[in-house]
């Protein structure tokens, strides 16, 4: 480990840091190949109506399976952002998830978009071109973004959002409540939906005022007429509290884990048979 260098102290050579750099470079190469070869796949997690329990939409989530196991998106998404691969990964995710969603008529499709993509001036035109090419109704597509983008490059973010909203694409503010995004940002950028972060939902199990905090957050969104999805619902007590607090959409392991396109199709068949 390199010494914290006080005045006059040399920084020690750190072989561990070098090995780390080599590992990162290797991982970058692997990720580039994975995007090109289709080893990055989309799984889909149900978005369920809080009042009826019916699946009304799906969120696409990226999965990277390697010979030695799965790499978490918490690892490879930031890696892709750092090494300039996020645009290619994002386009790949849009194409493949829209390709699958075409066989689920009537359901919405939510796709996560990195702040870096949204700040690319070409992004909006790329998305519109993909929708045209795959003949997918823009009104069925929601792009999920986190607050990061609103801080780093609000002007370009705004231009992309406006351009995409004009063709009917919806925007959801993801992970609300775990960072700095304000209710003001919700209004200012014209978000169509707010997603309450899983950490606030899991807090219901451990803190006494968790429900009050959630209720206050949801009523602010409701006052702005912005519908709210709760993420990370794992038990029926959480579901009941969030439904009563005014969430119209629930998402979480209790309602459905992220699944392959094939498993989603069977679940939808079962539902329509019931
Ligand atoms: P997110 O968009 O907030 O997605 C929700 C995450 O919570 C997913 O993790 C999902 O598997 C997990 N989750 C859902 N319900 C539950 C639950 O009941 N309990 C628990 N413990 N977890 C639950 P995942 O798939 O690992 O993705 C993590 C994050 O990586 C996503 O958070 C998103 O920010 C990012 N990500 C995933 N796919 C993409 C992508 O295609 N593009 C971009 N830019 N980011 C992505
Ligand atoms: Mg999301
Ligand atoms: Mg989220
Ligand atoms: Mg998240």
């Amino acid at each position: 480990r390199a010494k914290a260098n006080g005045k006059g102290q040399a920084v020690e050579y750190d072989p561990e840091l070098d090995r780390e750099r080599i590992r990162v470079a290797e991982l970058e190469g692997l990720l580039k190949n994975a995007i090109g070869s289709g080893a990055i796949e989309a799984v889909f997690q149900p978005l369920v109506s809080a009042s009826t329990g019916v699946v009304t939409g799906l969120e696409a989530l990226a999965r990277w399976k390697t010979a030695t196991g799965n790499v978490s998106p918490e690892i490879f998404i930031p890696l892709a952002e750092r090494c300039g691969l996020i645009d290619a990964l994002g386009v790949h995710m849009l194409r493949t998830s829209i390709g699958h969603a075409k066989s689920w008529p009537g359901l919405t499709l939510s796709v996560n978009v990195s702040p870096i993509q949204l700040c690319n001036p070409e992004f909006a035109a790329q998305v519109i071109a993909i929708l045209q090419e795959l003949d997918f109704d823009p009104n069925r597509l929601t792009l999920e973004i986190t607050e990061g983008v609103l801080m780093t490059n609000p002007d370009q973010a705004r231009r992309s959002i406006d351009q995409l909203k004009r063709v009917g694409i919806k925007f959801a503010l993801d992970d609300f409540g775990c960072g700095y995004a304000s209710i003001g940002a919700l209004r200012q950028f014209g978000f169509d939906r707010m997603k309450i972060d899983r950490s606030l939902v899991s807090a219901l199990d451990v803190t006494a005022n968790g429900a009050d905090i959630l209720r206050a957050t949801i009523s602010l969104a409701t006052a702005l007429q912005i519908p709210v999805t709760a993420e990370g619902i794992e038990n029926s007590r959480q579901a009941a509290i969030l439904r009563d607090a005014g969430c119209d959409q629930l998402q979480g392991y209790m309602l459905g884990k992220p699944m392959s396109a094939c498993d989603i199709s069977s679940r939808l068949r079962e539902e329509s048979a019931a």
Side-chain angles (χ1 to χ4, degrees), residues 81-250:
E81 288 174 341
R82 274 202 310 276
C83 66
L85 290 169
I86 193 66
D87 293 301
L89 193 156
V91 165
H92 171 74
M93 282 299 292
L94 269 168
R95 273 183 200 289
T96 51
S97 58
I98 290 173
H100 288 298
K102 281 186 66 109
S103 57
W104 304 318
L107 299 190
T108 63
L109 172 69
S110 298
V111 179
N112 292 283
V113 163
S114 153
I116 293 171
Q117 292 176 268
L118 206 66
C119 292
N120 173 355
E122 321 263 289
F123 176 68
Q126 276 172 0
V127 174
I128 293 168
I130 291 172
L131 290 170
Q132 275 165 356
E133 179 195 319
L134 299 178
D135 188 27
F136 192 78
D137 179 1
N139 294 291
R140 283 177 62 196
L141 181 65
T142 297
L143 299 180
E144 297 194 0
I145 57 179
T146 52
E147 75 220 338
V149 67
L150 314 175
M151 320 285 256
T152 48
N153 194 347
D155 295 334
Q156 183 54 49
R158 161 127 250 162
R159 277 194 288 276
S160 300
I161 293 173
D162 288 348
Q163 200 180 340
L164 290 163
K165 278 179 73 81
R166 273 200 294 277
V167 302
I169 293 169
K170 309 289 184 294
F171 280 84
L173 183 55
D174 206 350
D175 300 350
F176 190 89
C178 74
Y180 303 99
S182 64
I183 290 288
L186 261 177
R187 210 226 286 273
Q188 208 187 322
F189 288 85
F191 281 100
D192 303 281
R193 180 167 285 280
M194 168 176 123
K195 297 189 77 174
I196 293 212
D197 193 61
R198 166 153 64 85
S199 60
L200 293 188
V201 174
S202 58
L204 282 174
D205 296 349
V206 289
T207 63
N209 62 354
D212 291 330
I213 292 169
L214 279 169
R215 277 192 283 267
T217 309
I218 294 162
S219 57
L220 280 167
T222 309
L224 293 169
Q225 292 172 311
I226 294 167
V228 181
T229 303
E231 304 184 307
I233 305 274
E234 294 184 350
N235 60 57
S236 48
R237 181 174 164 270
Q238 294 170 344
I241 292 172
L242 285 150
R243 194 184 298 116
D244 294 344
C247 288
D248 72 333
Q249 192 175 61
L250 306 178

Side-chain angles (χ1 to χ4, degrees), residues 255-267:
L255 303 137
K257 288 201 169 179
M259 289 174 256
S260 69
C262 183
D263 288 346
I264 289 286
S265 293
S266 0
R267 159 121 184 219

